[in-house]
Short mmCIF file of all heavy atoms in Angstrom, two decimals:
data_model
loop_
_atom_site.label_atom_id
_atom_site.label_comp_id
_atom_site.label_asym_id
_atom_site.label_seq_id
_atom_site.Cartn_x
_atom_site.Cartn_y
_atom_site.Cartn_z
N MET A 1 -46.31 -96.56 145.55
CA MET A 1 -45.56 -97.76 145.57
C MET A 1 -44.27 -97.65 146.21
O MET A 1 -43.51 -96.61 146.00
CB MET A 1 -45.42 -98.24 144.21
CG MET A 1 -44.58 -99.49 143.98
SD MET A 1 -44.31 -100.03 142.37
CE MET A 1 -45.43 -101.29 142.24
N ALA A 2 -43.86 -98.48 147.12
CA ALA A 2 -42.69 -98.49 147.83
C ALA A 2 -41.43 -98.69 146.88
O ALA A 2 -41.61 -99.60 146.01
CB ALA A 2 -42.66 -99.40 149.12
N LYS A 3 -40.43 -98.04 147.09
CA LYS A 3 -39.21 -98.18 146.34
C LYS A 3 -38.21 -98.76 147.28
O LYS A 3 -38.00 -98.44 148.41
CB LYS A 3 -38.75 -96.84 145.84
CG LYS A 3 -39.63 -96.10 145.07
CD LYS A 3 -39.54 -96.49 143.67
CE LYS A 3 -40.52 -95.54 142.81
NZ LYS A 3 -40.68 -96.02 141.50
N ALA A 4 -37.39 -99.78 146.73
CA ALA A 4 -36.35 -100.33 147.56
C ALA A 4 -35.05 -99.55 147.37
O ALA A 4 -34.73 -99.00 146.25
CB ALA A 4 -35.99 -101.74 147.06
N ILE A 5 -34.39 -99.28 148.48
CA ILE A 5 -33.13 -98.52 148.49
C ILE A 5 -32.04 -99.35 148.75
O ILE A 5 -32.00 -100.30 149.59
CB ILE A 5 -33.20 -97.43 149.56
CG1 ILE A 5 -34.38 -96.42 149.43
CG2 ILE A 5 -31.84 -96.69 149.50
CD1 ILE A 5 -34.24 -95.51 148.10
N GLN A 6 -30.96 -99.36 147.84
CA GLN A 6 -29.78 -100.10 147.88
C GLN A 6 -28.66 -99.38 148.62
O GLN A 6 -28.38 -98.16 148.26
CB GLN A 6 -29.26 -100.58 146.55
CG GLN A 6 -30.31 -101.35 145.72
CD GLN A 6 -30.46 -102.78 146.27
OE1 GLN A 6 -29.50 -103.50 146.43
NE2 GLN A 6 -31.67 -103.18 146.78
N SER A 7 -27.88 -99.99 149.52
CA SER A 7 -26.75 -99.44 150.14
C SER A 7 -25.66 -99.30 149.25
O SER A 7 -25.64 -100.11 148.20
CB SER A 7 -26.44 -100.21 151.38
OG SER A 7 -25.99 -101.45 150.95
N TRP A 8 -24.56 -98.65 149.57
CA TRP A 8 -23.34 -98.68 148.69
C TRP A 8 -22.88 -100.11 148.57
O TRP A 8 -22.44 -100.51 147.50
CB TRP A 8 -22.29 -97.81 149.32
CG TRP A 8 -20.92 -98.13 148.82
CD1 TRP A 8 -19.90 -98.78 149.40
CD2 TRP A 8 -20.43 -97.96 147.30
NE1 TRP A 8 -18.80 -99.07 148.58
CE2 TRP A 8 -19.11 -98.50 147.35
CE3 TRP A 8 -21.06 -97.44 146.35
CZ2 TRP A 8 -18.39 -98.38 146.17
CZ3 TRP A 8 -20.22 -97.39 145.18
CH2 TRP A 8 -18.95 -97.88 145.05
N GLU A 9 -22.90 -101.02 149.68
CA GLU A 9 -22.39 -102.29 149.55
C GLU A 9 -23.04 -103.15 148.53
O GLU A 9 -22.51 -103.88 147.78
CB GLU A 9 -22.41 -102.90 151.03
CG GLU A 9 -21.41 -102.25 151.94
CD GLU A 9 -21.89 -101.03 152.59
OE1 GLU A 9 -23.09 -100.53 152.43
OE2 GLU A 9 -21.09 -100.26 153.20
N ARG A 10 -24.39 -102.90 148.46
CA ARG A 10 -25.31 -103.69 147.53
C ARG A 10 -24.94 -103.21 146.14
O ARG A 10 -24.93 -104.04 145.29
CB ARG A 10 -26.75 -103.52 147.96
CG ARG A 10 -27.09 -104.02 149.29
CD ARG A 10 -27.32 -105.59 149.28
NE ARG A 10 -28.57 -105.86 148.63
CZ ARG A 10 -28.98 -106.91 148.19
NH1 ARG A 10 -28.02 -107.94 148.18
NH2 ARG A 10 -30.06 -107.19 147.45
N VAL A 11 -24.86 -101.96 145.89
CA VAL A 11 -24.54 -101.35 144.54
C VAL A 11 -23.23 -101.95 144.17
O VAL A 11 -23.03 -102.32 142.96
CB VAL A 11 -24.57 -99.76 144.59
CG1 VAL A 11 -24.12 -99.29 143.28
CG2 VAL A 11 -26.06 -99.37 144.86
N GLN A 12 -22.24 -101.96 144.91
CA GLN A 12 -20.85 -102.36 144.64
C GLN A 12 -20.85 -103.80 144.23
O GLN A 12 -20.13 -104.12 143.30
CB GLN A 12 -19.94 -102.10 145.77
CG GLN A 12 -18.51 -102.36 145.43
CD GLN A 12 -17.55 -102.05 146.56
OE1 GLN A 12 -17.94 -102.26 147.70
NE2 GLN A 12 -16.41 -101.61 146.22
N LEU A 13 -21.73 -104.60 144.74
CA LEU A 13 -21.83 -105.91 144.41
C LEU A 13 -22.29 -106.13 143.00
O LEU A 13 -22.00 -107.05 142.23
CB LEU A 13 -22.71 -106.75 145.35
CG LEU A 13 -22.16 -107.02 146.70
CD1 LEU A 13 -23.29 -107.66 147.67
CD2 LEU A 13 -20.98 -107.91 146.68
N ARG A 14 -23.16 -105.20 142.56
CA ARG A 14 -23.86 -105.19 141.32
C ARG A 14 -22.97 -104.38 140.18
O ARG A 14 -23.13 -104.79 138.93
CB ARG A 14 -25.34 -104.76 141.42
CG ARG A 14 -26.11 -105.55 142.34
CD ARG A 14 -27.46 -105.18 142.42
NE ARG A 14 -28.06 -105.61 141.02
CZ ARG A 14 -29.26 -104.92 140.69
NH1 ARG A 14 -29.75 -103.97 141.37
NH2 ARG A 14 -29.70 -105.30 139.55
N VAL A 15 -22.39 -103.39 140.57
CA VAL A 15 -21.59 -102.59 139.71
C VAL A 15 -20.28 -102.38 140.16
O VAL A 15 -19.91 -101.87 141.21
CB VAL A 15 -22.36 -101.22 139.70
CG1 VAL A 15 -21.57 -100.24 138.61
CG2 VAL A 15 -23.80 -101.23 139.25
N PRO A 16 -19.28 -103.00 139.38
CA PRO A 16 -17.90 -103.07 139.96
C PRO A 16 -17.05 -101.92 139.74
O PRO A 16 -16.03 -101.84 139.05
CB PRO A 16 -17.27 -104.33 139.16
CG PRO A 16 -18.15 -104.29 137.78
CD PRO A 16 -19.36 -103.83 138.20
N TYR A 17 -17.55 -100.72 140.10
CA TYR A 17 -16.94 -99.43 140.08
C TYR A 17 -16.61 -98.98 141.37
O TYR A 17 -17.19 -99.31 142.33
CB TYR A 17 -17.75 -98.32 139.46
CG TYR A 17 -18.13 -98.54 137.97
CD1 TYR A 17 -19.24 -97.89 137.45
CD2 TYR A 17 -17.31 -99.27 137.12
CE1 TYR A 17 -19.43 -98.03 136.08
CE2 TYR A 17 -17.57 -99.39 135.70
CZ TYR A 17 -18.65 -98.69 135.20
OH TYR A 17 -19.03 -98.92 133.97
N THR A 18 -15.57 -98.16 141.52
CA THR A 18 -15.16 -97.58 142.84
C THR A 18 -16.13 -96.36 143.21
O THR A 18 -16.86 -95.92 142.35
CB THR A 18 -13.81 -96.91 142.79
OG1 THR A 18 -13.78 -95.84 141.92
CG2 THR A 18 -12.71 -97.91 142.34
N ARG A 19 -16.24 -95.99 144.41
CA ARG A 19 -17.05 -95.05 144.91
C ARG A 19 -16.76 -93.63 144.06
O ARG A 19 -17.58 -92.88 143.67
CB ARG A 19 -16.88 -94.65 146.45
CG ARG A 19 -17.49 -95.64 147.31
CD ARG A 19 -17.21 -95.23 148.71
NE ARG A 19 -17.50 -96.30 149.64
CZ ARG A 19 -18.50 -96.29 150.55
NH1 ARG A 19 -19.17 -95.17 150.70
NH2 ARG A 19 -18.69 -97.26 151.22
N THR A 20 -15.46 -93.41 143.81
CA THR A 20 -15.01 -92.15 143.24
C THR A 20 -15.59 -92.28 141.79
O THR A 20 -16.03 -91.23 141.29
CB THR A 20 -13.46 -92.17 143.06
OG1 THR A 20 -12.98 -92.13 144.42
CG2 THR A 20 -13.07 -90.90 142.45
N HIS A 21 -15.50 -93.40 141.10
CA HIS A 21 -15.92 -93.58 139.71
C HIS A 21 -17.48 -93.31 139.58
O HIS A 21 -17.99 -92.61 138.68
CB HIS A 21 -15.55 -94.91 138.93
CG HIS A 21 -15.75 -94.80 137.56
ND1 HIS A 21 -15.20 -93.90 136.60
CD2 HIS A 21 -16.63 -95.68 136.87
CE1 HIS A 21 -15.64 -94.13 135.38
NE2 HIS A 21 -16.60 -95.14 135.57
N ILE A 22 -18.26 -93.90 140.59
CA ILE A 22 -19.68 -93.70 140.64
C ILE A 22 -19.97 -92.15 140.85
O ILE A 22 -20.98 -91.75 140.17
CB ILE A 22 -20.31 -94.71 141.66
CG1 ILE A 22 -20.26 -96.12 141.11
CG2 ILE A 22 -21.70 -94.22 141.94
CD1 ILE A 22 -20.91 -97.20 141.96
N THR A 23 -19.33 -91.58 141.66
CA THR A 23 -19.56 -90.16 141.90
C THR A 23 -19.35 -89.44 140.69
O THR A 23 -20.16 -88.46 140.40
CB THR A 23 -18.71 -89.67 143.12
OG1 THR A 23 -19.00 -90.35 144.30
CG2 THR A 23 -18.77 -88.25 143.41
N ARG A 24 -18.33 -89.63 139.97
CA ARG A 24 -18.02 -89.01 138.71
C ARG A 24 -19.15 -89.19 137.71
O ARG A 24 -19.62 -88.33 137.07
CB ARG A 24 -16.68 -89.42 138.09
CG ARG A 24 -15.57 -88.90 138.67
CD ARG A 24 -14.18 -89.31 137.94
NE ARG A 24 -13.10 -89.18 138.72
CZ ARG A 24 -12.31 -90.23 139.09
NH1 ARG A 24 -12.37 -91.47 138.43
NH2 ARG A 24 -11.22 -90.11 139.84
N LEU A 25 -19.59 -90.42 137.62
CA LEU A 25 -20.69 -90.79 136.71
C LEU A 25 -21.99 -90.07 137.06
O LEU A 25 -22.73 -89.57 136.17
CB LEU A 25 -20.88 -92.27 136.59
CG LEU A 25 -19.74 -93.10 135.93
CD1 LEU A 25 -20.11 -94.55 136.12
CD2 LEU A 25 -19.69 -92.79 134.44
N GLU A 26 -22.30 -90.02 138.42
CA GLU A 26 -23.56 -89.31 138.80
C GLU A 26 -23.41 -87.86 138.48
O GLU A 26 -24.42 -87.32 137.96
CB GLU A 26 -23.53 -89.43 140.42
CG GLU A 26 -24.09 -90.72 140.87
CD GLU A 26 -24.15 -90.74 142.40
OE1 GLU A 26 -23.06 -90.57 142.91
OE2 GLU A 26 -25.23 -91.00 142.93
N LYS A 27 -22.29 -87.28 138.74
CA LYS A 27 -22.11 -85.83 138.49
C LYS A 27 -22.32 -85.53 136.84
O LYS A 27 -22.77 -84.46 136.50
CB LYS A 27 -20.86 -85.22 138.89
CG LYS A 27 -20.80 -85.17 140.44
CD LYS A 27 -19.45 -84.67 140.92
CE LYS A 27 -19.44 -84.52 142.48
NZ LYS A 27 -18.28 -84.05 143.00
N ALA A 28 -21.92 -86.48 136.10
CA ALA A 28 -21.98 -86.36 134.56
C ALA A 28 -23.36 -86.77 134.09
O ALA A 28 -23.71 -86.60 133.00
CB ALA A 28 -20.89 -87.23 133.85
N GLY A 29 -24.24 -87.24 134.97
CA GLY A 29 -25.53 -87.64 134.64
C GLY A 29 -25.61 -89.03 133.87
O GLY A 29 -26.53 -89.29 133.21
N LEU A 30 -24.59 -89.79 134.15
CA LEU A 30 -24.42 -91.22 133.39
C LEU A 30 -24.72 -92.29 134.45
O LEU A 30 -24.65 -93.33 133.95
CB LEU A 30 -23.04 -91.29 132.91
CG LEU A 30 -22.67 -90.18 131.87
CD1 LEU A 30 -21.23 -90.28 131.56
CD2 LEU A 30 -23.54 -90.37 130.67
N PHE A 31 -25.15 -92.02 135.58
CA PHE A 31 -25.49 -93.05 136.56
C PHE A 31 -26.49 -92.52 137.56
O PHE A 31 -26.66 -91.27 137.78
CB PHE A 31 -24.25 -93.49 137.55
CG PHE A 31 -24.39 -94.58 138.31
CD1 PHE A 31 -24.01 -95.85 137.76
CD2 PHE A 31 -24.65 -94.51 139.55
CE1 PHE A 31 -24.13 -97.03 138.45
CE2 PHE A 31 -24.75 -95.72 140.36
CZ PHE A 31 -24.49 -96.99 139.80
N PRO A 32 -27.40 -93.36 137.99
CA PRO A 32 -28.49 -92.96 138.82
C PRO A 32 -28.01 -92.17 140.12
O PRO A 32 -26.94 -92.54 140.71
CB PRO A 32 -29.18 -94.21 139.40
CG PRO A 32 -28.86 -95.12 138.27
CD PRO A 32 -27.50 -94.87 137.85
N ARG A 33 -28.63 -91.10 140.39
CA ARG A 33 -28.29 -90.28 141.51
C ARG A 33 -28.70 -90.84 142.86
O ARG A 33 -29.66 -91.43 142.97
CB ARG A 33 -28.86 -88.79 141.56
CG ARG A 33 -28.34 -88.09 140.23
CD ARG A 33 -29.05 -86.72 140.14
NE ARG A 33 -28.95 -85.97 141.28
CZ ARG A 33 -29.73 -84.99 141.65
NH1 ARG A 33 -30.78 -84.80 140.95
NH2 ARG A 33 -29.59 -84.35 142.83
N ARG A 34 -27.77 -90.61 143.81
CA ARG A 34 -28.04 -91.28 145.22
C ARG A 34 -29.14 -90.51 145.90
O ARG A 34 -29.42 -89.26 145.52
CB ARG A 34 -26.77 -91.19 146.02
CG ARG A 34 -26.21 -89.75 146.19
CD ARG A 34 -24.81 -89.80 146.89
NE ARG A 34 -23.87 -90.20 145.85
CZ ARG A 34 -22.72 -90.64 146.05
NH1 ARG A 34 -22.08 -90.75 147.30
NH2 ARG A 34 -21.94 -90.95 145.06
N VAL A 35 -29.69 -91.08 146.88
CA VAL A 35 -30.79 -90.43 147.64
C VAL A 35 -30.16 -90.30 149.12
O VAL A 35 -29.69 -91.28 149.63
CB VAL A 35 -31.94 -91.39 147.75
CG1 VAL A 35 -33.11 -90.84 148.66
CG2 VAL A 35 -32.59 -91.66 146.35
N ARG A 36 -30.35 -89.04 149.63
CA ARG A 36 -29.76 -88.79 150.95
C ARG A 36 -30.87 -89.30 151.99
O ARG A 36 -32.01 -88.96 151.91
CB ARG A 36 -29.46 -87.28 151.19
CG ARG A 36 -29.02 -87.07 152.63
CD ARG A 36 -28.11 -85.98 152.79
NE ARG A 36 -27.02 -85.89 151.78
CZ ARG A 36 -25.80 -86.50 151.87
NH1 ARG A 36 -25.67 -87.27 152.93
NH2 ARG A 36 -24.94 -86.41 150.97
N LEU A 37 -30.36 -90.28 152.77
CA LEU A 37 -31.42 -90.86 153.68
C LEU A 37 -31.24 -90.25 155.17
O LEU A 37 -32.24 -90.39 155.85
CB LEU A 37 -30.99 -92.38 153.86
CG LEU A 37 -31.23 -93.18 152.47
CD1 LEU A 37 -30.59 -94.59 152.64
CD2 LEU A 37 -32.68 -93.18 151.97
N GLY A 38 -30.14 -89.59 155.45
CA GLY A 38 -29.90 -88.94 156.65
C GLY A 38 -28.46 -88.53 156.78
O GLY A 38 -27.62 -88.63 155.81
N ALA A 39 -28.09 -88.14 157.89
CA ALA A 39 -26.74 -87.63 158.20
C ALA A 39 -25.82 -88.70 158.05
O ALA A 39 -25.90 -89.77 158.60
CB ALA A 39 -26.60 -87.01 159.50
N GLY A 40 -24.88 -88.53 156.85
CA GLY A 40 -23.98 -89.63 156.61
C GLY A 40 -24.41 -90.86 156.00
O GLY A 40 -23.63 -91.92 155.85
N ARG A 41 -25.71 -90.94 155.52
CA ARG A 41 -26.29 -92.14 154.88
C ARG A 41 -27.00 -91.83 153.60
O ARG A 41 -27.71 -90.91 153.52
CB ARG A 41 -27.26 -92.70 155.87
CG ARG A 41 -27.71 -94.18 155.59
CD ARG A 41 -26.52 -95.07 155.78
NE ARG A 41 -27.15 -96.47 155.62
CZ ARG A 41 -26.33 -97.45 155.44
NH1 ARG A 41 -25.09 -97.39 155.39
NH2 ARG A 41 -26.79 -98.59 155.25
N VAL A 42 -26.52 -92.61 152.54
CA VAL A 42 -27.14 -92.47 151.26
C VAL A 42 -27.48 -93.76 150.74
O VAL A 42 -26.96 -94.78 151.28
CB VAL A 42 -26.25 -91.70 150.18
CG1 VAL A 42 -25.95 -90.26 150.67
CG2 VAL A 42 -24.92 -92.53 149.92
N GLY A 43 -28.30 -93.85 149.68
CA GLY A 43 -28.60 -95.08 148.96
C GLY A 43 -29.04 -94.75 147.57
O GLY A 43 -29.13 -93.59 147.10
N TRP A 44 -29.22 -95.82 146.92
CA TRP A 44 -29.64 -95.79 145.39
C TRP A 44 -31.06 -96.44 145.28
O TRP A 44 -31.21 -97.57 145.80
CB TRP A 44 -28.68 -96.35 144.44
CG TRP A 44 -27.39 -95.40 144.39
CD1 TRP A 44 -27.24 -94.58 143.38
CD2 TRP A 44 -26.29 -95.37 145.38
NE1 TRP A 44 -25.96 -93.88 143.54
CE2 TRP A 44 -25.52 -94.39 144.86
CE3 TRP A 44 -26.05 -96.02 146.54
CZ2 TRP A 44 -24.21 -94.11 145.41
CZ3 TRP A 44 -24.87 -95.69 147.14
CH2 TRP A 44 -23.97 -94.79 146.65
N VAL A 45 -31.87 -95.98 144.44
CA VAL A 45 -33.18 -96.63 144.15
C VAL A 45 -32.88 -97.85 143.20
O VAL A 45 -32.22 -97.76 142.24
CB VAL A 45 -34.09 -95.70 143.27
CG1 VAL A 45 -35.41 -96.43 143.04
CG2 VAL A 45 -34.37 -94.45 144.28
N GLU A 46 -33.32 -99.05 143.75
CA GLU A 46 -32.95 -100.36 143.07
C GLU A 46 -33.48 -100.29 141.70
O GLU A 46 -32.66 -100.84 140.75
CB GLU A 46 -33.61 -101.43 143.96
CG GLU A 46 -33.25 -102.84 143.32
CD GLU A 46 -33.91 -103.96 144.17
OE1 GLU A 46 -34.88 -103.70 144.88
OE2 GLU A 46 -33.19 -104.98 144.34
N GLU A 47 -34.70 -99.88 141.50
CA GLU A 47 -35.31 -99.86 140.06
C GLU A 47 -34.30 -99.00 139.12
O GLU A 47 -34.21 -99.39 137.92
CB GLU A 47 -36.62 -99.28 140.07
CG GLU A 47 -37.68 -100.14 140.74
CD GLU A 47 -39.06 -99.36 140.87
OE1 GLU A 47 -39.14 -98.23 140.39
OE2 GLU A 47 -39.94 -100.03 141.35
N GLU A 48 -33.69 -97.93 139.58
CA GLU A 48 -32.84 -97.04 138.79
C GLU A 48 -31.62 -97.79 138.45
O GLU A 48 -31.14 -97.73 137.25
CB GLU A 48 -32.64 -95.65 139.37
CG GLU A 48 -33.93 -94.89 139.50
CD GLU A 48 -33.69 -93.60 140.23
OE1 GLU A 48 -32.55 -93.36 140.84
OE2 GLU A 48 -34.73 -92.91 140.47
N ILE A 49 -30.97 -98.48 139.40
CA ILE A 49 -29.73 -99.30 139.18
C ILE A 49 -30.22 -100.41 138.15
O ILE A 49 -29.45 -100.67 137.26
CB ILE A 49 -29.23 -99.88 140.51
CG1 ILE A 49 -28.88 -98.71 141.53
CG2 ILE A 49 -28.13 -100.74 140.28
CD1 ILE A 49 -27.78 -97.83 140.96
N ASP A 50 -31.29 -101.05 138.36
CA ASP A 50 -31.71 -102.14 137.46
C ASP A 50 -31.78 -101.60 135.95
O ASP A 50 -31.19 -102.11 134.97
CB ASP A 50 -32.95 -102.76 137.77
CG ASP A 50 -32.97 -103.55 139.08
OD1 ASP A 50 -31.90 -103.88 139.54
OD2 ASP A 50 -34.09 -103.87 139.56
N ALA A 51 -32.37 -100.44 135.84
CA ALA A 51 -32.58 -99.74 134.59
C ALA A 51 -31.15 -99.36 133.98
O ALA A 51 -31.06 -99.54 132.64
CB ALA A 51 -33.52 -98.55 134.62
N TRP A 52 -30.29 -98.92 134.66
CA TRP A 52 -29.03 -98.51 134.37
C TRP A 52 -28.22 -99.71 133.73
O TRP A 52 -27.72 -99.66 132.67
CB TRP A 52 -28.26 -97.88 135.41
CG TRP A 52 -26.92 -97.40 134.92
CD1 TRP A 52 -26.48 -96.26 134.32
CD2 TRP A 52 -25.60 -98.02 135.04
NE1 TRP A 52 -25.14 -96.15 134.13
CE2 TRP A 52 -24.60 -97.35 134.60
CE3 TRP A 52 -25.35 -99.39 135.62
CZ2 TRP A 52 -23.34 -97.75 134.53
CZ3 TRP A 52 -24.06 -99.70 135.59
CH2 TRP A 52 -23.01 -98.83 135.02
N ILE A 53 -28.27 -100.83 134.53
CA ILE A 53 -27.66 -102.10 134.06
C ILE A 53 -28.33 -102.60 132.72
O ILE A 53 -27.53 -102.94 131.76
CB ILE A 53 -27.65 -103.16 135.24
CG1 ILE A 53 -26.82 -102.73 136.33
CG2 ILE A 53 -27.39 -104.60 134.67
CD1 ILE A 53 -27.02 -103.70 137.59
N GLU A 54 -29.58 -102.50 132.69
CA GLU A 54 -30.34 -102.89 131.48
C GLU A 54 -29.87 -102.09 130.25
O GLU A 54 -29.65 -102.57 129.10
CB GLU A 54 -31.82 -102.87 131.67
CG GLU A 54 -32.32 -104.06 132.50
CD GLU A 54 -32.07 -105.45 131.95
OE1 GLU A 54 -32.03 -105.58 130.66
OE2 GLU A 54 -31.78 -106.27 132.75
N SER A 55 -29.70 -100.85 130.51
CA SER A 55 -29.26 -99.86 129.37
C SER A 55 -27.88 -100.23 128.93
O SER A 55 -27.51 -100.13 127.70
CB SER A 55 -29.36 -98.48 129.82
OG SER A 55 -28.45 -98.00 130.74
N ARG A 56 -26.99 -100.68 129.77
CA ARG A 56 -25.69 -100.97 129.48
C ARG A 56 -25.64 -102.30 128.60
O ARG A 56 -24.94 -102.44 127.58
CB ARG A 56 -24.75 -101.32 130.68
CG ARG A 56 -24.68 -100.11 131.68
CD ARG A 56 -23.63 -99.06 131.22
NE ARG A 56 -23.95 -98.26 130.15
CZ ARG A 56 -24.80 -97.33 130.02
NH1 ARG A 56 -25.60 -96.94 131.03
NH2 ARG A 56 -25.03 -96.63 128.98
N ILE A 57 -26.49 -103.21 128.94
CA ILE A 57 -26.72 -104.47 128.30
C ILE A 57 -27.26 -104.24 126.78
O ILE A 57 -26.83 -104.67 125.86
CB ILE A 57 -27.56 -105.49 129.02
CG1 ILE A 57 -26.85 -105.98 130.18
CG2 ILE A 57 -27.99 -106.72 128.05
CD1 ILE A 57 -27.70 -106.72 131.26
N ALA A 58 -28.29 -103.27 126.78
CA ALA A 58 -28.88 -102.96 125.50
C ALA A 58 -27.86 -102.24 124.59
O ALA A 58 -27.78 -102.52 123.43
CB ALA A 58 -30.08 -101.97 125.60
N GLU A 59 -27.00 -101.35 125.18
CA GLU A 59 -25.94 -100.69 124.40
C GLU A 59 -25.11 -101.58 123.89
O GLU A 59 -24.60 -101.60 122.70
CB GLU A 59 -25.27 -99.75 125.29
CG GLU A 59 -24.25 -98.79 124.52
CD GLU A 59 -23.62 -97.96 125.61
OE1 GLU A 59 -24.21 -97.05 126.09
OE2 GLU A 59 -22.31 -97.97 125.70
N ARG A 60 -24.66 -102.64 124.70
CA ARG A 60 -23.73 -103.74 124.20
C ARG A 60 -24.33 -104.46 123.03
O ARG A 60 -23.63 -104.75 122.12
CB ARG A 60 -23.41 -104.71 125.37
CG ARG A 60 -22.49 -105.82 124.97
CD ARG A 60 -22.58 -106.98 125.86
NE ARG A 60 -23.95 -107.72 125.77
CZ ARG A 60 -24.44 -108.55 126.53
NH1 ARG A 60 -23.70 -109.00 127.64
NH2 ARG A 60 -25.60 -109.09 126.38
N ASP A 61 -25.59 -104.70 123.16
CA ASP A 61 -26.31 -105.52 122.18
C ASP A 61 -26.74 -104.67 120.91
O ASP A 61 -27.48 -105.18 120.11
CB ASP A 61 -27.45 -106.31 122.72
CG ASP A 61 -26.99 -107.34 123.69
OD1 ASP A 61 -25.82 -107.69 123.85
OD2 ASP A 61 -27.81 -107.80 124.60
N GLY A 62 -26.42 -103.40 120.81
CA GLY A 62 -26.75 -102.60 119.79
C GLY A 62 -28.19 -102.23 119.72
O GLY A 62 -28.79 -101.86 118.69
N GLN A 63 -28.89 -102.27 120.78
CA GLN A 63 -30.35 -101.93 120.87
C GLN A 63 -30.61 -100.46 121.23
O GLN A 63 -31.71 -99.95 121.36
CB GLN A 63 -31.00 -102.85 121.89
CG GLN A 63 -31.00 -104.31 121.42
CD GLN A 63 -31.53 -105.18 122.45
OE1 GLN A 63 -31.95 -104.74 123.47
NE2 GLN A 63 -31.47 -106.50 122.38
N GLU A 64 -29.59 -99.63 121.54
CA GLU A 64 -29.78 -98.25 121.88
C GLU A 64 -29.02 -97.46 120.89
O GLU A 64 -28.05 -97.69 120.32
CB GLU A 64 -29.21 -98.10 123.25
CG GLU A 64 -30.47 -97.69 124.12
CD GLU A 64 -30.02 -97.40 125.50
OE1 GLU A 64 -29.66 -98.29 126.26
OE2 GLU A 64 -29.87 -96.31 125.92
#
């Protein structure tokens, strides 16, 4: 099954964090890891970003 890859710009529209903060969260295992697409180009798997957002909502609502 094909996976959709989101660019930094698309991720930033959905998650209002700086690049630096997302990098810190990735290193801590608290945010989906980026996928290296080529020299100087990375992206994030859309489904993983969706799941991360859903987990934040569930945490807020006391479901986790």
